[in-house]
């Protein structure tokens, strides 16, 4: 099955290095927790008035590109 997959991939007309570069760039953007904190703050502004929705406050002074810090929320674990 691996050989068949490789044959199929070879026939796909893509620029694999560009595809991998785009994926890596996107991944590293997602791993920037300062950006994620800004996104969470925006999400909070948009949806905090919905019943049953609580978005924790971001602690910007303790957040870095590698650490995301937000307020502690008491509650039940969702499964």
């Amino acid at each position: 099955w691996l050989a068949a997959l490789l044959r199929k991939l070879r026939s796909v007309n893509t620029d694999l290095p560009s595809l991998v570069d785009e994926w890596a760039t996107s991944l590293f953007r997602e791993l920037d927790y300062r950006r994620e904190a800004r996104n969470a703050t925006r999400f909070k502004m948009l949806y905090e008035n919905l019943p049953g929705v609580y978005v924790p406050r971001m602690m910007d002074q303790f957040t870095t590109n590698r650490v995301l810090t937000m307020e502690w929320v008491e509650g039940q674990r969702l499964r």
Side-chain angles (χ1 to χ4, degrees):
W1 68 269
L2 184 56
L5 177 63
L6 289 174
R7 278 193 301 275
K8 189 181 258 188
L9 286 176
R10 239 188 250 166
S11 67
V12 174
N13 187 14
T14 62
D15 181 3
L16 190 56
S18 293
L19 185 64
V20 170
D21 284 346
E22 178 60 32
W23 174 80
T25 300
S26 178
L27 176 66
F28 286 118
R29 271 196 309 264
E30 291 294 319
L31 292 177
D32 182 349
Y33 289 125
R34 288 178 295 200
R35 180 186 301 264
E36 290 302 312
R38 287 191 303 269
N39 289 339
T41 299
R42 183 168 181 245
F43 184 88
K44 181 177 182 70
M45 290 182 343
L46 292 170
Y47 299 107
E48 67 185 342
N49 294 323
L50 291 176
V53 173
Y54 184 80
V55 181
R57 184 172 49 91
M58 297 296 112
M59 310 296 252
D60 293 330
Q61 68 272 31
F62 302 114
T63 296
T64 68
N65 65 328
R66 310 238 1 211
V67 175
L68 178 64
T69 310
M70 63 185 80
E71 75 174 298
W72 181 262
V73 178
E74 292 290 336
Q76 293 182 339
R77 181 178 176 189
L78 299 176
R79 296 175 194 241

